[in-house]
Amino acid sequence: MYRKMVLIRRFEEMAGKQYMQASIGGFCHLYIGQEAVAVGIISALRPDDYVMGTYREHGQILAVGSDPKAIMAELFGRETGISRGKGGSMHLFDRERNFMGGDGIVGGGLPIATGVGLAIRYRGGDQVCVCFFGDGAVNEGAFHEALNMAALWKLPVIFVCENNLYGMGTQVTRASAVPDLNRRVSGYGMESAHVDGMDLLAIRALSDDVVAECRAGRGPWFIEAKTYRYRGHSMADPATYRTKDEVEEWRVRDPISIYEKQLLGAGLITDEEIRGISAEIDAVVDESVKFAEESPFPQADALYDHVYASGE
Amino acid sequence: MPILTYREALNQALREEMRADPDVFLIGEEVAEYQGAYKVSEGLLAEFGARRVIDTPISEEAIAGAGVGAAMAGLKPVVEMMTVNFSLLALDQIVNHAAKYYYMSGGQYNVPMVMRAPTGVGLQLGAQHSQNFESWFVHVPGLKVVLPATPADAKGLLKSAIRDPDPVIFLEHELIYLSKGEVPAEDYAVPLGVADVKREGADVTIITYSRMTLFALKAAERLAERGISAEVVDLRTLRPLDIDTVVESVRKTHRAVVCEEDWPMCGMAAEVIAQIQTEAFDDLDAPILRVSGVDVPMPYAKNLEKMAVPGEEDVYQACLRVTEGHRD
């Protein structure tokens, strides 16, 4: 888990750098600061469980174990990208790992996750579907419709609100009449929990319980993880709507530093091992950039590929 | 051949595909206990049970999304929207999700889902319940769009739509659910993307789809009495569009009238006309005419509604204009 969090942090720092150098285009939403949420929850899953991501999903797809090289190549828009260069930063997919995509529409993933939950139940399986979304999504109609439907049918879906306090530049208190999400969700007759999104072990412990509940047919569940993105909404956002002090307050509670201290305190890791992991991850990230840079752009005929699965 | 109604033919298609493939299921408002707002799903709950015939809350976006998610997880949902008017509440799932996943995942996730909906004008249902939106869906690459006119086509096309690996919008005209026609007794399917020449002729080609096909066939009868031989091409599938069959017919007749019940602005007829003039301009002996609904929200009053909805007479007069150069 430590390794995954460091990988996400370094990968995202590199993505930001590559964006500034114009190697990456379009919108690019970094996950820095939120690492513990994806890693804590996804590490509690089995490989046959499903994950529905958001447009801030680089961290989520790295957490399911997808190849950093293929992800970086996708950001670079190359043929070797995880979505063959057709998706970009917001649309990373990995069917082999049941990662059902980054979704560029706020709240758009919730009804789909409900459908995945329905399919799991239809087949009599005991998998779960984890659906990530942000605090901005809770005021979409899709949120209401999906939560009601999932709760009505008791589907094995875990709705995870990554509450980073801002929907783009709008603070939660300026957007939600009832900012306390657990209170809102209680109206759907759904179990819910609130967790510190900077505390990996707390998230993991809660996730173990919630996943077990959903596997046992006692879903759906709602998890609110209070977290913080250190960067702006996207690379195009200087984040002038919040103070430096606020950002600093959160940085003190950095999820990676907290977990690192816990590991050191428990004698589970040494400073030397930390340095080793750091060097190793830097090499992985550098290699992903090298791979992306050396990969070809998609062939011209790829323009027309994959419009229809029937091939027309 | 057995004679069935359009509704019975659709019901048979659903029943047969659900029997043949355990991954096929039906989901929508009032499809199970109520047996369908238009009774298309009559008897399906009794045969297949609540696991495969699923009543939903009135939540069109979540219904469509549930279909998308289930399809991505490998099932074959048939999603029923009570009418196409309500499908507008689900457009994000249809356009931004169902139509996009195969492409933007680089071919990893296809969405084998059918969205069925009654479409078109009713009888004094007013402005919000009398609409056609096929041109909206046809506009979107990634979707397929089907509008059958006859019971045989309804059954055969729905079977193909369910078996298809892509999202298919399947629109059933609500005023022809009780129309009757011969339906083959044996197992068959009608391929998507293939137009059908419903009547052969030499002087003018009428290109149309859905309920307007029935008006076109009646108009062709009357034109024949006058010595004008009209060919009727039923597009059946609007996307992918079988423009080859259309162009072949126009090259033969040198005249074309394109008919839709929908509004004219940026509609299906406009698209077909654009493609004909690109492919067969030199073959034309007259400007191509179109017959469309009147460009207003649908009025309630019976007399006004009658004026707004195109019918047999409009098709007939348009054909006279392109053949004899005048209307009666």
Side-chain angles (χ1 to χ4, degrees):
Chain A
M1 289 195 288
Y2 176 73
R3 204 176 284 265
K4 279 258 170 72
M5 288 208 294
V6 176
L7 171 63
I8 294 170
R9 176 69 55 94
R10 299 286 165 78
F11 185 95
E12 291 292 68
E13 284 168 353
M14 180 58 84
K17 192 172 147 199
Q18 294 297 328
Y19 185 90
M20 297 309 284
Q21 292 173 6
S23 299
I24 298 172
F27 292 131
C28 187
H29 311 88
L30 301 181
Y31 201 68
I32 297 173
Q34 304 185 200
E35 294 89 346
V37 184
V39 172
I41 289 168
I42 289 170
S43 65
L45 299 179
R46 290 194 321 229
D48 62 338
D49 290 325
Y50 296 85
V51 176
M52 180 85 214
T54 61
Y55 51 78
R56 194 181 304 286
E57 89 282 29
H58 306 174
Q60 295 153 0
I61 195 167
L62 285 166
V64 302
S66 298
D67 180 5
K69 292 204 295 288
I71 299 168
M72 190 62 84
E74 187 62 34
L75 303 187
F76 275 58
R78 304 300 168 110
E79 188 181 73
T80 53
I82 199 156
S83 305
R84 300 196 197 200
K86 307 279 271 287
S89 165
M90 294 188 286
H91 306 302
L92 305 169
F93 292 80
D94 189 348
R95 187 160 195 169
E96 209 180 299
R97 290 178 179 76
N98 282 346
F99 190 82
M100 312 189 76
D103 190 51
I105 308 296
V106 172
L110 283 95
I112 296 173
T114 302
V116 174
L118 181 67
I120 292 168
R121 232 252 312 271
Y122 188 92
R123 294 205 163 112
D126 72 341
Q127 302 104 305
V128 301
C129 178
V130 168
C131 178
F132 290 101
F133 52 93
D135 46 275
V138 307
N139 298 315
E140 289 281 6
F143 174 86
H144 164 70
E145 291 190 15
L147 260 62
N148 177 62
M149 195 177 270
L152 181 70
W153 295 340
K154 302 189 177 5
L155 300 176
V157 183
I158 302 168
F159 294 101
V160 180
C161 180
E162 299 188 90
N163 184 352
N164 63 19
L165 310 184
Y166 293 88
M168 204 161 164
T170 302
Q171 202 171 23
V172 168
T173 49
R174 290 206 295 131
S176 287
V178 179
D180 177 353
L181 290 177
N182 287 324
R183 236 181 96 199
R184 279 176 71 165
V185 169
S186 68
Y188 299 105
M190 186 182 299
E191 295 290 344
S192 68
H194 175 91
V195 69
D196 178 357
M198 310 309 257
D199 184 346
L200 176 75
L201 292 177
I203 297 166
R204 174 59 195 265
L206 173 68
S207 302
D208 282 338
D209 290 346
V210 167
V211 169
E213 284 292 294
C214 289
R215 279 206 210 295
R218 291 189 290 274
W221 264 78
F222 185 95
I223 296 176
E224 180 194 12
K226 273 254 173 70
T227 182
Y228 202 76
R229 56 170 156 76
Y230 296 172
R231 302 290 187 92
H233 165 70
S234 72
M235 285 301 295
D237 170 24
T240 51
Y241 43 83
R242 51 188 202 185
T243 63
K244 282 211 171 83
D245 288 349
E246 182 183 305
V247 179
E248 281 314 308
E249 270 171 44
W250 280 90
R251 276 183 184 274
V252 170
R253 304 191 47 251
D254 181 72
I256 298 176
S257 307
I258 290 174
Y259 188 49
E260 206 172 272
K261 277 185 202 127
Q262 287 168 332
L263 290 174
L264 284 167
L268 293 169
I269 203 167
T270 64
D271 283 323
E272 199 186 333
E273 281 170 324
I274 287 173
R275 282 192 295 275
I277 289 171
S278 176
E280 195 188 307
I281 298 287
D282 282 341
V284 167
V285 172
D286 288 345
E287 196 195 349
S288 76
V289 172
K290 186 164 178 283
F291 176 78
E293 283 171 345
E294 288 173 356
S295 293
F297 288 102
Q299 300 286 310
D301 57 7
L303 177 64
Y304 299 101
D305 286 344
H306 306 126
V307 180
Y308 294 105
S310 62
E312 280 115 56
Chain B
M1 264 193 280
I3 305 284
L4 294 182
T5 64
Y6 189 83
R7 169 157 67 206
E8 287 163 345
L10 291 164
N11 181 277
Q12 271 194 2
L14 287 169
R15 201 180 285 272
E16 289 175 14
E17 290 307 297
M18 288 179 74
R19 283 178 187 161
D21 185 347
D23 286 342
V24 177
F25 69 98
L26 179 65
I27 182 169
E29 296 158 6
E30 309 288 4
V31 296
E33 304 270 343
Y34 196 88
Q35 311 205 62
Y38 289 82
K39 299 288 179 240
V40 173
S41 54
E42 197 155 27
L44 297 184
L45 176 64
E47 178 168 350
F48 299 103
R51 175 174 162 268
R52 298 183 67 194
V53 184
I54 304 171
D55 274 333
T56 67
I58 302 173
S59 303
E60 285 81 9
E61 188 173 2
I63 296 166
V68 174
M72 289 172 81
L75 298 180
K76 293 185 171 171
V78 178
V79 170
E80 178 172 316
M81 289 285 151
M82 191 179 284
T83 79
V84 76
N85 307 287
F86 313 149
S87 76
L88 301 196
L89 290 153
L91 274 185
D92 174 59
Q93 286 299 327
I94 297 163
V95 176
N96 279 328
H97 295 88
K100 300 293 189 291
Y101 275 134
Y102 193 61
Y103 196 80
M104 67 186 189
S105 71
Q108 294 181 72
Y109 280 103
N110 61 317
V111 182
M113 155 183 154
V114 179
M115 187 200 86
R116 291 180 38 242
T119 189
V121 301
L123 297 172
Q124 287 190 278
L125 299 182
Q128 292 180 330
H129 285 72
S130 310
Q131 306 177 91
N132 294 277
F133 289 114
E134 58 270 19
S135 64
W136 292 31
F137 295 116
V138 165
H139 190 62
V140 181
L143 298 179
K144 295 176 179 174
V145 183
V146 178
L147 289 98
T150 66
D153 284 345
K155 180 175 176 182
L157 287 164
L158 183 53
K159 291 178 76 114
S160 290
I162 293 170
R163 295 172 194 175
D164 198 82
D166 296 306
V168 180
I169 308 298
F170 193 94
L171 301 174
E172 305 156 5
H173 199 292
E174 60 187 68
L175 287 184
I176 57 177
Y177 275 126
L178 293 177
S179 66
K180 289 181 179 167
E182 289 187 333
V183 175
E186 69 276 10
D187 187 32
Y188 74 102
V190 175
L192 305 186
V194 180
D196 184 39
V197 178
K198 286 271 190 294
R199 178 190 174 108
E200 291 197 14
D203 300 329
V204 55
T205 300
I206 306 172
I207 299 131
T208 188
Y209 58 93
S210 192
R211 180 177 177 235
M212 287 301 287
T213 304
L214 309 183
F215 292 135
L217 288 168
K218 284 186 188 156
E221 290 285 327
R222 278 174 64 201
L223 290 162
E225 289 163 19
R226 197 173 169 130
I228 297 167
S229 165
E231 179 146 306
V232 177
V233 176
D234 175 8
L235 295 173
R236 301 197 292 195
T237 303
L238 302 193
R239 187 191 259 269
L241 178 65
D242 179 7
I243 196 65
D244 293 348
T245 296
V246 172
V247 167
E248 195 185 322
S249 176
V250 173
R251 288 209 168 115
K252 182 175 74 176
T253 63
H254 308 292
R255 292 175 174 83
V257 171
V258 189
C259 309
E260 62 196 350
E261 185 185 280
D262 200 0
W263 295 305
M265 184 72 86
C266 299
M268 193 61 209
E271 175 61 30
V272 171
I273 290 168
Q275 294 201 30
I276 293 172
Q277 72 85 21
T278 306
E279 299 292 323
F281 184 76
D282 290 336
D283 295 286
L284 290 169
D285 285 346
I288 307 167
L289 292 189
R290 69 178 150 173
V291 173
S292 309
V294 174
D295 199 19
V296 297
M298 189 63 69
Y300 166 73
K302 211 171 193 171
N303 64 321
L304 295 181
E305 182 184 61
K306 194 155 181 273
M307 289 163 66
V309 180
E312 177 195 329
E313 182 65 18
D314 302 287
V315 181
Y316 178 78
Q317 293 293 344
C319 289
L320 286 187
R321 248 186 86 189
V322 296
T323 51
E324 297 181 353
H326 60 84
R327 299 171 73 103
D328 264 3

